[in-house]
Amino acid sequence: MKSYYLFILLLYNFCAIAQNGIKTPDSLEDKSYDELISRINDSKQDSILNLIYINTYIQKSKKENDPEHLMIGYRKALIHFKEEVALKYTDSIAKIAFSLGDDMLIGRLYIDKAIIYYTSKNYEKCLSNYLLADKYINEENDIYTQYKIKYGIANMKLYLGYFDEAISLFSECSEFYKNREGYNNSQGYLYSLRSLGRCYNQIKEYEKCTEINNLGIEKCIGKKYNLIKTYFVQSEGINQYGKKNYAKSIDLLKTSLPRIIENDDFLNVALNYMYLGKSYIKSEKEEIGIAHLQKVDSILQKHNYANLDLRQTYEDFINYYKKKGDLENQLLYTNRLLDADKILEKNYKDLISTIHKEYDTAELVASKNNLEKTLKRNKIVSYIIYGLGSIIILIITYMLIANYKKQKVYKQKYEELITKTSEREKQPEEPIQITKVATDELDINKDIVFKILKGLETFEHKEEYLGIGLTQSLLAEELDTNTTYLSKVINHYKGKNFNSYLNELRVNHAVSLLKNSPTHRRYTIKALAEELGFSNPRSFSDAFFSQTGIKPSYFIKQIEKEPDLLMSA
């Protein structure tokens, strides 16, 4: 962290030096341009030290009023700045180069600008600056730089999709670098081969691509070529996907991935993940494949980047989620694809209308609108369903709670009924008590009252109340009295009217019968009603419920479920 802050401080000082001419370190004042350039080249791995030497070089050229060397110093400093600041320095370099009228210096200026635009992924401007550089650099003034330009132009042709033109240029470059000595020429040869292989892959000449990749791997001898060797392995992994050898593609891509990650090359890391994802999907391992494609999306979102190859990622997402019926993710990646196309339109504006796209912009916008409408409609339907579901759940919950409470009350009434019946069965019959006050209230002769009560006693004892079609008139006739006297006696001594009295006797009888007779518990309600003297099952059930608070069917079920309660009673 300290080194980082020191670097920022030095960078700030560099800007101040460039403008105000601050004195350089004493130990470097007497160094020649060649000595300083040597130190600049040797310190490329140490940004802080490299910046000190560059500052010294610039101050020396300013002090000696040497515009050519000042321009070289500025060019060396460009690697330390991002696009906006770097381009300002190229403007300063341009003034010097054009004032000197040196075609080679002007050409190198345009190469610097092309590299700046390439780094910021502005490929159209990158290509235009390489083409400008090509006008000033030729075989006579700098043949090595001329092929460096050819290589840069070829790369732009590759990125922009002009594969046949790129193949021609990469072939020229590889032939030029092939037979020349030195590390830079070896690098130029290998990188030209690698890019040539990528072009053949793009035009589906997979065997030619494999041939080039194998040649490249064979030529990568020694540790210093390990990185470019990794890119050949990656290239063949992508090529094997084109050949539909998905297992081999996965193996090669996994092998190359760690070194590419270590190289901090986000574009090729994303490319590896994309082809790994596509290979897994083709191998019917869709979940693993989608997980790899999500890594691509994460990289693209982080860097706000898109290119023609990586655009396929979003088309794969849309196809996958369309098949799954997942409208939300389908909409998400439709929007991501539209965002990617905006970036592509900026970087590939002259090409974007001609490239093949599974989903063009018009289709995507229409699909997006339809998805949004469908999701909105589905949400409304979902809210309605959830609302109705909630209401139904509340009703069911209420009914369950009410039923639970009702069952609890029924259980309590059942237990009370069993206890009450058992106690009644144990109690001896009480003698009839007739008082003068009672007979005076009834305005009926005492003997007549006694006679009716004795008749009712016999009526109850002989269970004559079970007779079908029994009425108050019939009973009065049987007791040798009239309905008026019978009604008054029953009302006074039984505390209820004739029908209630009759129903009470029958229900009490039913409870005892069902309590003590397993046979009767197997009767139907209709059969029980007939045996108890009721005209129909409904009148029996209503009378039973009115007197006990529970239905006869419930009473029977509880007795069958809890025989122990009968024993204790």
Side-chain angles (χ1 to χ4, degrees):
M1 185 61 74
K2 287 182 179 178
S3 297
Y4 171 77
Y5 286 120
L6 179 59
F7 175 72
I8 295 298
L9 179 62
L10 284 169
L11 198 60
Y12 173 78
N13 286 337
F14 171 78
C15 295
I17 287 168
Q19 293 180 20
N20 303 319
I22 296 175
K23 188 178 178 182
T24 58
D26 293 338
S27 60
L28 299 176
E29 275 191 342
D30 296 329
K31 301 297 180 186
S32 69
Y33 288 118
D34 288 341
E35 286 177 309
L36 289 172
I37 285 293
S38 177
R39 293 199 181 195
I40 289 168
N41 291 336
D42 291 342
S43 65
K44 284 181 179 178
Q45 302 303 316
D46 186 337
S47 297
I48 297 172
L49 192 59
N50 186 255
L51 198 56
I52 291 173
Y53 293 137
I54 293 171
N55 289 346
T56 303
Y57 191 99
I58 289 172
Q59 288 308 299
K60 180 178 175 66
S61 62
K62 281 188 172 184
K63 184 178 180 181
E64 296 178 1
N65 195 25
D66 187 337
E68 186 173 339
H69 283 104
L70 177 60
M71 184 174 64
I72 293 171
Y74 283 151
R75 289 184 66 236
K76 291 290 184 182
L78 290 176
I79 61 170
H80 294 290
F81 299 98
K82 291 186 177 179
E83 179 183 351
E84 186 178 350
V85 177
L87 288 173
K88 287 181 179 179
Y89 275 94
T90 60
D91 290 340
S92 298
I93 295 169
K95 288 179 183 178
I96 298 171
F98 280 103
S99 68
L100 294 172
D102 189 322
D103 285 352
M104 187 174 67
L105 294 179
I106 295 170
R108 287 177 178 173
L109 159 70
Y110 285 120
I111 292 173
D112 291 334
K113 293 185 76 170
I115 292 169
I116 292 167
Y117 284 121
Y118 175 81
T119 303
S120 63
K121 315 301 182 191
N122 192 331
Y123 300 126
E124 291 288 347
K125 287 188 176 180
C126 175
L127 178 58
S128 65
N129 277 276
Y130 269 128
L131 292 172
L132 285 169
D134 192 44
K135 291 180 179 180
Y136 290 92
I137 303 291
N138 53 57
E139 290 187 16
E140 293 179 5
N141 61 17
D142 192 344
I143 189 170
Y144 177 84
T145 303
Q146 187 189 43
Y147 275 93
K148 187 176 179 181
I149 293 169
K150 284 182 185 290
Y151 179 80
I153 292 172
N155 254 327
M156 291 304 95
K157 297 286 187 180
L158 168 58
Y159 276 107
L160 294 171
Y162 305 118
F163 303 119
D164 290 336
E165 295 175 36
I167 287 171
S168 177
L169 288 169
F170 282 130
S171 297
E172 279 188 54
C173 291
S174 63
E175 285 300 315
F176 171 77
Y177 292 120
K178 180 179 179 180
N179 298 314
R180 299 174 71 88
E181 294 182 356
Y183 177 73
N184 286 341
N185 287 304
S186 296
Q187 285 279 81
Y189 173 60
L190 291 171
Y191 276 104
S192 295
L193 279 182
R194 186 242 179 176
S195 297
L196 193 57
R198 289 178 63 197
C199 289
Y200 281 117
N201 171 266
Q202 289 286 352
I203 61 175
K204 297 181 170 45
E205 289 194 27
Y206 300 123
E207 291 305 326
K208 188 69 176 174
C209 179
T210 294
E211 181 186 328
I212 290 171
N213 287 331
N214 289 339
L215 175 62
I217 291 169
E218 180 187 327
K219 295 293 183 180
C220 290
I221 301 170
K223 288 185 178 179
K224 60 185 177 180
Y225 298 109
N226 279 348
L227 180 59
I228 180 61
K229 184 177 181 179
T230 297
Y231 282 104
F232 279 115
V233 174
Q234 179 210 39
S235 178
E236 187 56 25
I238 294 170
N239 196 50
Q240 288 298 325
Y241 172 82
K243 290 181 173 184
K244 301 182 180 179
N245 297 328
Y246 304 121
K248 192 170 183 180
S249 174
I250 290 168
D251 182 57
L252 291 169
L253 290 167
K254 288 173 73 174
T255 299
S256 62
L257 182 60
R259 184 68 182 86
I260 295 173
I261 292 173
E262 186 183 325
N263 192 42
D264 198 25
D265 182 355
F266 82 85
L267 176 56
N268 279 289
V269 170
L271 209 57
N272 261 48
Y273 281 133
M274 184 183 80
Y275 279 101
L276 277 168
K278 292 168 80 70
S279 295
Y280 277 118
I281 289 171
K282 292 291 186 181
S283 303
E284 297 183 355
K285 297 178 180 177
E286 286 191 323
E287 296 301 321
I288 299 174
I290 289 299
H292 280 82
L293 294 183
Q294 285 168 342
K295 291 180 181 179
V296 180
D297 177 49
S298 178
I299 292 169
L300 298 182
Q301 294 303 307
K302 178 181 178 182
H303 294 276
N304 190 32
Y305 179 76
N307 74 10
L308 300 180
D309 285 334
L310 294 172
R311 185 184 186 279
Q312 299 172 53
T313 301
Y314 295 118
E315 293 181 342
D316 289 339
F317 272 128
I318 292 168
N319 289 333
Y320 174 77
Y321 287 113
K322 183 182 288 185
K323 187 170 68 175
K324 291 282 186 182
D326 186 336
L327 298 182
E328 288 192 7
N329 274 313
Q330 203 178 322
L331 177 60
L332 170 65
Y333 291 109
T334 297
N335 283 324
R336 291 278 168 84
L337 184 49
L338 285 168
D339 291 340
D341 279 351
K342 288 177 184 176
I343 296 171
L344 292 174
E345 285 168 10
K346 176 184 175 183
N347 293 339
Y348 302 82
K349 60 179 180 293
D350 294 333
L351 181 71
I352 195 69
S353 61
T354 63
I355 64 169
H356 169 72
K357 298 186 286 183
E358 184 174 343
Y359 300 97
D360 65 26
T361 303
E363 285 180 349
L364 283 172
V365 172
S367 175
K368 173 188 173 181
N369 291 337
N370 286 334
L371 285 168
E372 286 175 343
K373 287 177 183 176
T374 303
L375 281 169
K376 186 176 180 180
R377 185 169 59 249
N378 287 354
K379 281 183 180 178
I380 293 170
V381 172
S382 295
Y383 290 148
I384 292 171
I385 291 172
Y386 291 150
L388 289 174
S390 299
I391 292 169
I392 291 168
I393 289 170
L394 287 172
I395 291 171
I396 292 172
T397 302
Y398 172 79
M399 290 174 68
L400 287 172
I401 292 171
N403 185 63
Y404 170 77
K405 290 181 177 178
K406 184 169 73 173
Q407 292 298 319
K408 193 174 180 181
V409 171
Y410 281 0
K411 182 73 181 301
Q412 183 180 350
K413 289 184 178 295
Y414 163 78
E415 291 173 354
E416 290 173 355
L417 183 57
I418 290 291
T419 303
K420 183 179 177 182
T421 302
S422 297
E423 290 175 354
R424 188 178 64 248
E425 290 172 348
K426 293 175 183 178
Q427 287 178 353
E429 292 184 12
E430 295 181 0
I432 299 171
Q433 298 289 332
I434 299 174
T435 63
K436 186 177 184 302
V437 174
T439 55
D440 288 345
E441 288 177 359
L442 293 173
D443 194 23
I444 303 173
N445 183 276
K446 181 178 179 181
D447 294 335
I448 294 173
V449 172
F450 184 78
K451 178 185 175 183
I452 292 171
L453 288 173
K454 287 297 289 182
L456 291 175
E457 187 177 46
T458 302
F459 171 74
E460 294 175 14
H461 184 70
K462 290 183 177 182
E463 300 177 352
E464 292 175 1
Y465 50 79
L466 299 177
I468 294 175
L470 182 63
T471 62
Q472 185 169 265
S473 298
L474 289 173
L475 182 56
E477 187 178 335
E478 187 179 329
L479 297 181
D480 194 23
T481 185
N482 59 55
T483 56
T484 302
Y485 286 175
L486 178 61
S487 177
K488 286 184 176 182
V489 169
I490 291 174
N491 269 284
H492 182 81
Y493 285 96
K494 303 299 180 180
K496 51 186 68 68
N497 62 30
F498 173 76
N499 286 331
S500 298
Y501 166 65
L502 186 61
N503 284 341
E504 184 182 86
L505 293 173
R506 288 173 172 175
V507 170
N508 286 340
H509 185 85
V511 172
S512 295
L513 194 65
L514 294 171
K515 173 176 171 289
N516 300 312
S517 173
T519 301
H520 284 86
R521 290 200 290 270
R522 289 191 287 272
Y523 278 23
T524 63
I525 299 299
K526 183 179 179 182
L528 283 171
E530 289 176 357
E531 184 160 325
L532 293 167
F534 287 99
S535 57
N536 57 65
R538 177 66 181 272
S539 59
F540 166 52
S541 291
D542 289 348
F544 195 98
F545 184 81
S546 177
Q547 186 169 320
T548 65
I550 56 177
K551 293 285 185 180
S553 55
Y554 176 84
F555 183 73
I556 293 168
K557 286 179 183 177
Q558 285 300 114
I559 290 175
E560 293 296 320
K561 279 169 58 177
E562 302 179 15
D564 292 343
L565 188 62
L566 297 179
M567 298 297 293
S568 62

